[in-house]
Amino acid sequence: GLAATPPAPVDRFALPAPPVGSELARAVGAVVELLSMDPAAVTVPMVALAFHAPLGGSRCAVHVNGPAERGKSVRASLVQRLFGASMNAKALPTSWADGSTPLGRAQVYARAGDALVTTDDLRASGGSRDEADTAKVDQSFRSHFNGAAPLKGRRDGGGRTDPASRCDVLSTGETLPKGSTASTLNRVVTVELDAPLPANIGELDALASGGVLAAGMAAYLRWLAPQVEDLRPRARAEERAASTRWGFSEKSRATELLGGLCLGMEYLLRFLAASGVSAADVERHRARALAALHDVAGEHGARVAEEGIAARFVGLMAQALRSGLAHVVEVRRAEAPGTGLRSLTPEDPLLWGYQRRAGDLSAAGPLIGYLIRTATPAKPSPITEAVCLAPAAAVSLARKVERENGRSLGADPKAIGAALAAAGMLARTELDGARRRETTRVRTSSGGPLLEVWALKLSALGYGTGEPDDGADEPAPAPVDDGTGPAPDDVPEFPSDVDPFAP
């Protein structure tokens, strides 16, 4: 005598009865048509994510990034409507831009269960709210990926646990999800969309709105049902095995991120084979998906390296100094013994934020750091080959430059210092001492206070050891292990002892 009504927007997750006969063939054909939509590097991860969701595991996430008017929401809605015909591009389950809180999104992610949940419209305004919004996005992805809900204390004692995600998340937006470090991107498969909507988008939209794609998912669930209870206890191990079968190296972030997509695609292909799709067509779709996932892995690895907060921050510092948006001064011992320290214009001043105006050399922009040249044979300095940045001034400048570029830095000084240390870009820290800080202390004037600075290696800025290199335009990117393994053509169809298409 009890009735349960799910709250919005979960009430829009609704599947028809599994189709049979000609309706089954039509539903399977619609799924194949969706899988065939171009570009493959965008469509394959989204569709694989949707068919992974019922398998359990619930830590997979894909973010489709691209400019406006490329149809990100329309494409996402096609995949979303595998789980309910009413969730069109104007009525996706959740949004980054509608004021929803991380707790509100977490409740939807938990209630939707083993389904795909789209969170639409991630953007950066370049305004003061971007830092706070970035932290909320990071919180949502972090708790989803970790499969653990945040524990929060109550004022009256005890604690409250937010609901844990039980779905797979499809995100879209005009900007990438960035947290305080590159860790957010390390939890989300990012794909870049820069292609117009395909010519058959109207037909696909009609199939989705008519419930044909949802009928395809209903048929998939009926086929999956006898297998899923045995699969779920070992879902994570199966994901790792699937990523290996698809040619990704065992010890890589790509394996961690893409394993779920590989497994979802394997089960989709097995379903298509069991539903009457020819072996030749199944193999064609497998080869297309294989190439697409390897493309995605390579591009994602490069994107993580580029968007890592340490590399971004150092790039902003190099840009600011070379373009005269900020400057540093050189600190040397006075020539006369006992007369203390003096500040002067560095050698190669044009590399350190100085400009010539009317024949005179002058500093441009705010002071953000120091070149310490106070070493003597009696007191050698271990930070001679570094520029000592004042954290508050440097971060303030970096935020200003990012706002002018329409982006958000997405990190505070503490996170940036930790990222610089982790990347090996600091010449000296006090992490091994009692203070355990990424900063070190230097004196820049006689009798002045000790200043907390980041001793950033000159090589991190792209300047050569010793004298700065006038020919260095940008810091050399660190090599990235994108985990893509061998090229798709070198990957066997499947190991002989593991046949994912076996009944």
Side-chain angles (χ1 to χ4, degrees), residues 133-355:
D133 291 343
T134 294
K136 293 176 182 177
V137 172
D138 180 60
Q139 181 180 337
S140 291
F141 277 125
R142 182 185 299 271
S143 59
H144 170 73
F145 182 83
N146 291 338
L151 177 63
K152 299 180 179 179
R154 297 182 183 274
R155 290 183 178 179
D156 57 354
R160 184 195 79 213
T161 301
D162 291 345
S165 175
R166 299 189 300 125
C167 69
D168 280 357
V169 176
L170 174 59
S171 171
T172 72
E174 297 176 20
T175 186
L176 289 169
K178 308 182 192 74
S180 59
T181 68
S183 61
T184 304
L185 287 181
N186 277 329
R187 298 183 181 97
V188 187
V189 177
T190 57
V191 296
E192 193 74 25
L193 173 61
D194 192 14
L197 287 167
N200 67 335
I201 192 65
E203 299 171 10
L204 283 168
D205 190 70
L207 290 171
S209 295
V212 182
L213 286 175
M217 178 58 69
Y220 173 72
L221 294 180
R222 179 178 58 187
W223 169 83
L224 181 66
Q227 313 166 56
V228 74
E229 292 305 320
D230 178 59
L231 169 67
R232 285 187 172 178
R234 50 187 174 84
R236 298 286 173 82
E238 288 295 328
E239 289 180 9
R240 290 191 292 270
S243 67
T244 301
R245 289 194 292 270
W246 286 65
F248 296 101
S249 59
E250 293 183 5
K251 297 179 180 179
S252 72
R253 177 61 71 174
T255 299
E256 184 82 0
L257 284 178
L258 292 166
L261 303 186
C262 294
L263 189 63
M265 184 55 62
E266 282 188 3
Y267 271 82
L268 171 56
L269 295 174
R270 288 179 60 192
F271 165 69
L272 296 180
S275 301
V277 177
S278 70
D281 284 343
V282 169
E283 173 56 27
R284 177 171 56 84
H285 287 295
R286 188 201 70 86
R288 182 173 181 265
L290 176 65
L293 290 179
H294 275 264
D295 287 345
V296 167
E299 292 176 5
H300 178 81
R303 199 169 293 124
V304 168
E306 177 184 349
E307 293 293 334
I309 195 63
R312 281 180 61 204
F313 176 77
V314 170
L316 290 169
M317 293 298 99
Q319 173 190 344
L321 291 171
R322 290 185 173 101
S323 60
L325 296 176
H327 74 284
V328 303
V329 298
E330 187 169 309
V331 177
R332 288 188 179 272
R333 295 189 181 278
E335 294 180 2
T339 55
L341 305 177
R342 62 192 182 105
S343 298
L344 63 158
T345 301
E347 298 181 19
D348 297 301
L350 299 182
L351 295 179
W352 295 108
Y354 291 75
Q355 295 180 343

